[in-house]
Amino acid sequence: MNNGYIIRGGKTLSGKIKVESAKNAVLPIMCACLLTEEQCVIESCPKITDVLNMVKILNKLGCKTKFEGENLIIDSSLAKNVALDNSLTKELRSSVFILGSMVSRFKKASVSYPGGCDIGLRPIDLHINAFRELGVIVSEDGGEINCVANKIVGNEIYLDFPSVGATENIMLLTAVSDGTTVIYNPAKEPEIKDLMNFLNKMGAKIVGAGRDKIVIEGVKKLHGISYKAIGDRIEAGTFLIGTAITGGEIEISGIKAENLAPLLNKLVNNTCNIRVKDDIIYLKSGLNRKGFFIDTRPHPGFPTDLQPQMLALACVSTGVSVIRENIFETRFKHVGELVKLGAEVTVKDRVAIVTGVERLKGGEVYAHDLRGGAALVLAGLNAYGKTMIHDVKHIERGYYAFEQKIKRLGGDIERF
Ligand code: UD1
């Protein structure tokens, strides 16, 4: 079946790796390719399942897509408006980002409610409210979102919460528009800035990504470009935590340390030794891992996408760790699985209290979502004995060649 990993824990992760382009940068950039009739090239695009699903969505819309080596080529010259049904959108939360691009390009769109990781309610009210304020008529009908617009007219949008997806969707919707759009309280994640850079290279006029407001001066037309997205901070973070949890030493390249500052700070306190040079982070695991406190927040706060992996580290760090998840309601599904591996964790509402044990022990567990699944892999690498992880398809949504990279770093991992 090849749907699981068998890990024999106890080997350290040590060596060098280079991170892939960031999943969360590449996905909205793929949607942006729909905004021009000219060909775009996404350089070094990871062939993760989320990307392959987005390729299917673009193909369904009549785009021509192909991988040439590592580069993904997208030609949207013949794209046409097609309703995207549940069979395509259920696998991928980011299918909602295509809505902004579709409305911009076709002036109408019909998309089934998006899927993705089951980690909370994940409503899209902020996207829909913003679309309405920008001149789009939106109706919802039995799990379908239907949009129609004569033209997109700039406006001032205040986001109640700095939603990553809503910020990106507004940028995609208004890059080509009449007038100026201002997004107050936008998300500040590095991937937002990367989308701005991509759109600006295409000819858009956007300033302010990463700051308190983003200003989008609508242009008439965008053109095709070739672009390499930023490195994946979550992949880098996962391998850094994997090194800490196994007692190894790693050199990770292709990543800006400033994009991982909240994690590096926690790992130093956990007694890791960290050095940074240009786009390289070196980490040597400390001898006495210490418990810590984490409070997930929008960027530049601690990223929710690294919470599960840090929770795995907390399981084998001395003393009590407290982990509060503020972004997603039900992002603790990995806890029940970690407990099967000998972890001592209790969860109350959005807070997990972890009492460190010396080492986890092997067992049979299930990945329920992408980052929670990665946390189980890290836990298995620490545990003594054999750990079987089922449903790793969730992990492969966002990590390219995960087990090969772990193997190269010395981990004992096989597929079954
Ligand atoms: C993106 C990332 C995901 C990351 C998350 C938070 C991509 C492809 N995915 O997801 O990996 O975990 O940011 O950093 O980039 N919300 C609403 N209404 C909305 C939109 C969001 O209530 O209209 C809520 C969500 O339910 C959630 C929170 O806001 O609780 C964060 O969501 P958001 O920032 O939009 O995350 P995503 O774009 O889904």
Side-chain angles (χ1 to χ4, degrees):
M1 287 283 285
N2 279 349
N3 67 350
Y5 297 145
I6 295 182
I7 299 173
R8 288 178 183 80
K11 301 265 171 60
T12 61
L13 291 192
S14 291
K16 294 183 184 183
I17 60 160
K18 189 172 183 337
V19 290
E20 307 290 332
S21 296
K23 165 178 99 66
N24 289 353
V26 164
L27 291 169
I29 283 175
M30 289 174 76
C31 297
C33 295
L34 194 60
L35 299 176
T36 176
E37 293 183 4
E38 295 175 21
Q39 176 178 289
C40 290
V41 180
I42 302 175
E43 299 161 27
S44 302
C45 182
K47 291 173 188 151
I48 47 179
T49 324
D50 269 10
V51 164
L52 302 179
N53 280 329
M54 186 59 90
V55 163
K56 282 188 199 158
I57 289 177
L58 291 171
N59 289 345
K60 176 89 181 174
L61 293 173
C63 301
K64 296 239 171 336
T65 57
K66 67 172 174 201
F67 272 99
E68 265 180 16
E70 292 189 336
N71 295 346
L72 174 60
I73 303 180
I74 300 176
D75 175 350
S76 305
S77 54
L78 299 175
K80 55 191 183 306
N81 183 30
V82 174
L84 296 179
D85 63 28
N86 181 273
S87 64
L88 281 169
T89 62
K90 70 176 191 300
E91 301 296 339
L92 184 63
R93 163 82 177 172
S94 311
S95 54
V96 75
F97 300 131
I98 201 83
L99 205 55
S101 299
M102 285 175 74
V103 179
S104 170
R105 176 87 184 256
F106 311 122
K107 300 294 171 286
K108 60 178 172 182
S110 176
V111 175
S112 275
Y113 203 85
C117 277
D118 180 15
I119 50 178
L121 294 173
R122 304 190 93 162
I124 55 166
D125 53 316
L126 299 170
H127 303 240
I128 291 177
N129 292 344
F131 275 36
R132 289 189 171 131
E133 288 178 64
L134 293 161
V136 183
I137 298 166
V138 187
S139 59
E140 290 172 87
D141 179 20
E144 254 185 27
I145 308 151
N146 298 304
C147 299
V148 190
N150 273 333
K151 58 179 181 178
I152 311 302
V153 187
N155 203 347
E156 301 206 333
I157 311 285
Y158 177 83
L159 292 177
D160 285 339
F161 178 85
S163 154
V164 171
T167 304
E168 292 175 337
N169 229 339
I170 297 167
M171 291 163 74
L172 292 167
L173 179 66
T174 57
V176 177
S177 63
D178 288 356
T180 300
T181 296
V182 183
I183 313 175
Y184 294 100
N185 196 30
K188 296 178 181 159
E189 270 68 4
E191 293 78 19
I192 305 273
K193 196 168 174 189
D194 211 34
L195 178 63
M196 173 180 82
N197 291 341
F198 182 85
L199 289 167
N200 283 346
K201 199 171 172 194
M202 290 175 94
K205 288 190 176 158
I206 306 176
V207 292
R211 302 206 291 269
D212 289 336
K213 70 174 185 188
I214 297 177
V215 181
I216 304 144
E217 200 186 309
V219 298
K220 294 274 171 259
K221 206 174 169 183
L222 299 176
H223 55 81
I225 57 164
S226 185
Y227 191 85
K228 184 172 183 327
I230 54 169
D232 197 318
R233 63 197 166 100
I234 306 301
E235 185 196 15
T238 303
F239 278 101
L240 289 171
I241 300 166
T243 308
I245 206 171
T246 59
E249 192 171 355
I250 199 167
E251 179 183 312
I252 302 188
S253 60
I255 186 73
K256 272 196 185 144
E258 68 192 58
N259 291 345
L260 268 175
L263 173 72
L264 299 185
N265 175 46
K266 294 290 169 191
L267 290 176
V268 167
N269 290 339
N270 187 249
T271 65
C272 290
N273 203 318
I274 294 177
R275 277 183 301 122
V276 172
K277 187 169 180 278
D278 305 324
D279 73 342
I280 299 178
I281 302 175
Y282 305 88
L283 179 143
K284 188 171 190 306
S285 177
L287 286 177
N288 300 306
R289 289 182 287 257
K290 278 199 304 193
F292 45 83
F293 172 75
I294 281 180
D295 197 23
T296 65
R297 297 275 170 198
H299 193 78
F302 192 92
T304 173
D305 285 352
L306 288 173
Q307 174 266 105
Q309 301 89 317
M310 281 303 267
L311 201 147
L313 179 62
C315 293
V316 290
S317 296
T318 318
V320 173
S321 296
V322 179
I323 296 178
R324 171 184 283 274
E325 173 57 55
N326 295 301
I327 310 294
F328 293 110
E329 301 82 6
T330 59
R331 199 168 206 177
F332 278 134
K333 290 198 175 135
H334 42 289
V335 167
E337 305 300 318
L338 288 168
V339 167
K340 291 183 197 163
L341 302 179
E344 290 183 15
V345 191
T346 52
V347 175
K348 188 157 190 307
D349 301 326
R350 286 173 174 254
V351 180
I353 314 264
V354 187
T355 306
V357 297
E358 206 171 307
R359 201 170 155 195
L360 296 168
K361 58 180 192 310
E364 191 166 352
V365 290
Y366 288 80
H368 296 289
D369 58 66
L370 164 57
R371 308 301 173 186
L376 297 180
V377 172
L378 304 190
L381 289 167
N382 169 283
Y384 59 83
K386 188 172 88 175
T387 299
M388 282 177 83
I389 305 177
H390 295 272
D391 292 342
V392 300
K393 62 176 192 286
H394 293 294
I395 300 173
E396 288 164 357
R397 279 190 36 220
Y399 292 92
Y400 183 63
F402 198 38
E403 95 255 25
Q404 288 92 323
K405 288 183 185 176
I406 290 172
K407 248 190 223 165
R408 244 187 289 137
L409 292 170
D412 186 342
I413 181 169
E414 299 291 340
R415 292 193 76 94
F416 69 88

